[in-house]
Amino acid sequence: MNVVTQAALIDGKTFSSGIRGRVAAGVSDLSGRGIVPGLAVVLVGEDPASAVYVKNKGIQTREVGMNSFEHKLPETTSQHDLLALIGRLNADPAVHGILVQLPLPKHVDAEAVLNAIEPAKDVDGFHVINAGRLATGQKAMVPCTPLGCLMMLRDR
């Protein structure tokens, strides 16, 4: 059987620009009602790729009108201190989303840290509650990379 398929180019830059525009409009609407969404990003250590990702996340967050709270911690930060920071971010009403950049140093239990994030603030969708909801088809925070890929495929 000969199957002929035609490849289609997906323009990720154009797609992401459109998404950012829609996010900015939503943020503007919320801001008009006195709510400024805030994203806290936590980076532990000096991983170069992670540092670039966190820097870009902060730029993009601010560009759409959101508050960006960046927490850059030394590699030697203890799990106890990292969990304490997560607790403060969970309790902070100005923080609507929390992203802990992986990988974490080897002396930190990433699972414990990710599960310490309040599920409603878990923008990566890694908390066991969000992962379980997603796996069973319930409403959940969805990991952004696979969701973005699906959105681009649906948009073409």
Side-chain angles (χ1 to χ4, degrees):
M1 161 169 56
N2 285 337
V3 177
V4 178
T5 59
Q6 185 173 0
L9 182 64
I10 297 174
D11 185 347
K13 288 186 186 268
T14 299
F15 180 79
S16 69
S17 177
I19 290 287
R20 283 194 197 104
R22 294 197 315 257
V23 169
V27 169
S28 178
D29 180 56
L30 285 171
S31 296
R33 294 185 276 154
I35 302 167
V36 179
L39 174 65
V41 179
V42 179
L43 174 64
V44 183
E46 301 289 330
D47 180 73
S50 293
V52 169
Y53 181 82
V54 167
K55 177 183 172 191
N56 289 334
K57 193 61 56 194
I59 290 168
Q60 294 165 358
T61 300
R62 288 186 294 276
E63 283 179 352
V64 297
M66 295 172 60
N67 288 325
S68 177
F69 307 102
E70 295 176 21
H71 298 271
K72 296 178 182 176
L73 307 174
E75 177 93 16
T76 57
T77 299
S78 70
Q79 180 170 316
H80 178 270
D81 288 346
L82 181 54
L83 290 172
L85 172 61
I86 299 297
R88 289 191 302 274
L89 296 173
N90 282 335
D92 187 341
V95 174
H96 298 90
I98 302 169
L99 184 155
V100 175
Q101 181 63 37
L102 300 176
L104 290 170
K106 294 195 185 310
H107 67 276
V108 175
D109 180 354
E111 187 176 303
V113 171
L114 296 174
N115 285 327
I117 299 170
E118 180 67 36
K121 292 187 177 191
D122 170 30
V123 297
D124 275 327
F126 291 158
H127 190 285
V128 68
I129 289 176
N130 286 321
R133 287 177 179 160
L134 182 63
T136 58
Q138 299 177 55
K139 184 177 180 182
M141 298 295 277
V142 179
C144 57
T145 301
L147 179 60
C149 292
L150 288 172
M151 290 171 69
M152 283 192 299
L153 289 170
R154 289 178 183 145
D155 185 63
R156 55 163 235 91

